Amino acid sequence: MDSRSHTHVTAALRLCLHALLTGLLALVVVRAVSEDAADTGAVVAVTLLTAALYAAGAVRSSAVQPKGSVQPKGSVQPKGSERPKDPVRPRTSVQPGTPAGAWWLGGLWVLWAALLVLSPDALWVAFPLYFLQLHFLPMRWALPAVVVTAAAAITSFVVHRQEIEPGAFIGPLIGAAVAVATVLGYDALFRESERRRELIVELVATRADLAEAERTAGTLAERERLAREIHDTLAQGLSSIQLLLRAAERSLPENAPATPHVRAAREAAQANLAEARSFVRALTPPDLEHGSLAAALERLCARTTAPELTVRFAVSGTPVELPTPYEVALLRTAQSALANTVRHAAARRAEITLSFMETSVALDVVDDGRGFDPSGAPVHERGTGGDGGFGLPAMRARAGSLGGALSVESAPGQGTAVALTLPLPDTEAERAA
């Protein structure tokens, strides 16, 4: 049920309460007139005053009641949903929790008490009064008020009839119990419905977030794949063509007729190679778009948080410019290994070291966590890093595609060390590429 459904139910209950109170007051007047008692005039006058006060309060209450804002006590507002805006309520508005509402309810009770003194039939008006007290007063005050009202009704019956009967006690007490159970039951049902509605809203929002995350992950994966394919095929092919044309140009005599054509072909290949490089750079992962690999790894360490975990980053050797697939492989390996540390290792310290050597570049991720047996770990533990797919097999496959190697050293209680080593590409060929 939504808020509009609760509004309709509340409006129907309010109309039923109006009808019940009006009918019971009319019954008091009819009985007083039919019995032609001496105090009939007083009964009619007090009854009309009670009806007028009740009608005035009902009008004042409906005049400021916004559509969709009626909510039982203790109701919850779901996250992400907008609560209907309540109008500014003046202090004289007859609403639950306002001074005017309390005074209005007190005035009704006083007039009803006076009517009890004049007519025994007024005790039946106690039943709608129960509901008004439970609605307008906090529960810690409403329950004592209901008890006092029931006691007044019982006392009136005993005084007017001059006898004590079981029905004099059972009737008002059962009415009070029914009113309390009805209000508490409705409030409990409303709160349960609101909790379910809040859960549905959160589930819908979570589903949207998951869909967005999947789209983002798919986009990044496709960008990386395209960058790798362009570099490994188109860029490398153009680089080879350029090297061959450069060698052909050098082998030709200085004034050979073919020299200008070879030079033009080499320049065209060089221009297309530059265009291919721009595509590769455009498809670079976002972490590598604004800075070097070292800066991306340092940001990764800074934003990795876990209870009592300290992550440090260090660079060894002289940094050199690496091809995009190398940087992507090193960054993804670091992300996956560090995700395993956060999720499974319960480590206090972790360190990422990027080492540049003469013929290779290495990445080491070491932690002092609980460790594990790499050869004896189940496939699902060795195969996934808990981050959606970059497990040890994926890291090894990425390292193998670049001619490198991945090693894992770990033992129970002795931490884990993941090392990725990639051979640096040929300097002359890479410069030409």
Side-chain angles (χ1 to χ4, degrees):
M1 295 178 63
D2 58 13
S3 297
R4 292 174 294 179
S5 300
H6 290 299
T7 303
H8 299 329
V9 172
T10 307
L13 292 176
R14 189 183 300 114
L15 290 177
C16 291
L17 185 62
H18 295 341
L20 177 61
L21 184 60
T22 303
L24 292 176
L25 291 176
L27 175 63
V28 173
V29 173
V30 170
R31 290 291 297 273
V33 173
S34 63
E35 293 178 359
D36 196 19
D39 53 0
T40 300
V43 171
V44 173
V46 175
T47 302
L48 291 178
L49 283 176
T50 304
L53 181 61
Y54 180 79
V59 170
R60 293 289 298 173
S61 175
S62 301
V64 298
Q65 189 67 32
K67 182 178 180 181
S69 65
V70 178
Q71 294 185 350
K73 306 167 194 174
S75 62
V76 296
Q77 180 70 11
K79 299 175 182 177
S81 62
E82 182 179 356
R83 183 184 294 273
K85 295 182 179 179
D86 294 336
V88 177
R89 295 177 178 175
R91 293 179 59 86
T92 57
S93 65
V94 180
Q95 290 292 317
T98 61
W103 282 106
W104 174 76
L105 186 60
L108 279 179
W109 197 94
V110 170
L111 289 175
W112 172 73
L115 198 57
L116 274 179
V117 175
L118 298 174
S119 172
D121 298 314
L123 69 90
W124 303 111
V125 182
F127 190 69
L129 280 179
Y130 296 150
F131 285 97
L132 290 175
Q133 290 166 341
L134 291 168
H135 178 64
F136 276 86
L137 299 177
M139 194 56 63
R140 64 179 183 275
W141 298 110
L143 293 179
V146 168
V147 173
V148 171
T149 302
I154 294 172
T155 302
S156 171
F157 184 88
V158 173
V159 170
H160 282 286
R161 296 298 177 89
Q162 297 296 322
E163 58 180 347
I164 299 178
E165 297 180 358
F169 296 89
I170 295 176
L173 293 178
I174 289 180
V178 169
V180 172
T182 301
V183 172
L184 293 180
Y186 176 74
D187 284 351
L189 289 175
F190 184 89
R191 286 192 295 270
E192 180 64 23
S193 176
E194 286 295 283
R195 280 193 291 268
R196 292 184 179 181
R197 185 161 67 95
E198 179 182 4
L199 178 60
I200 291 174
V201 171
E202 291 180 351
L203 288 176
V204 171
T206 301
R207 184 174 62 181
D209 292 341
L210 288 176
E212 180 64 25
E214 289 178 357
R215 284 194 295 269
T216 302
T219 301
L220 293 176
E222 183 64 14
R223 289 174 61 178
E224 293 178 19
R225 187 190 69 82
L226 289 175
R228 186 168 56 252
E229 293 295 331
I230 291 175
H231 181 274
D232 294 344
T233 57
L234 180 61
Q236 293 296 338
L238 290 173
S239 177
S240 299
I241 292 173
Q242 185 182 5
L243 289 174
L244 292 173
L245 290 174
R246 185 187 298 274
E249 183 180 1
R250 291 174 179 175
S251 64
L252 290 175
E254 184 177 355
N255 297 323
T259 299
H261 301 289
V262 172
R263 182 180 298 109
R266 180 178 60 79
E267 292 174 353
Q270 185 176 4
N272 283 273
L273 178 58
E275 189 70 19
R277 287 175 177 171
S278 67
F279 280 119
V280 171
R281 284 193 295 270
L283 296 172
T284 301
D287 287 333
L288 297 173
E289 288 181 352
H290 307 290
S292 62
L293 172 63
L297 292 173
E298 189 171 3
R299 288 194 298 270
L300 173 64
C301 294
R303 67 171 179 257
T304 299
T305 58
E308 301 182 356
L309 175 64
T310 301
V311 184
R312 297 179 179 177
F313 173 69
V315 178
S316 175
T318 303
V320 297
E321 185 177 356
L322 298 173
T324 298
Y326 281 58
E327 293 186 339
V328 171
L330 293 167
L331 177 62
R332 293 307 187 208
T333 300
Q335 289 173 335
S336 181
L338 201 55
N340 282 337
T341 298
V342 172
R343 288 175 171 83
H344 308 300
R348 291 179 176 272
R349 294 187 303 274
E351 184 171 351
I352 297 179
T353 304
L354 181 62
S355 303
F356 292 92
M357 294 168 280
E358 292 184 2
T359 59
S360 64
V361 58
L363 177 78
D364 297 283
V365 182
V366 182
D367 67 65
D368 63 350
R370 60 170 60 102
F372 68 101
D373 183 1
S375 61
V379 175
H380 70 276
E381 293 182 6
R382 291 183 281 117
T384 61
D387 57 354
F390 287 107
L392 296 181
M395 288 189 280
R396 286 195 176 97
R398 188 184 291 275
S401 67
L402 298 174
L406 180 81
S407 63
V408 179
E409 297 179 2
S410 182
Q414 298 182 15
T416 303
V418 177
L420 172 63
T421 303
L422 299 176
L424 289 176
D426 180 72
T427 305
E428 182 179 354
E430 183 61 25
R431 187 183 295 113

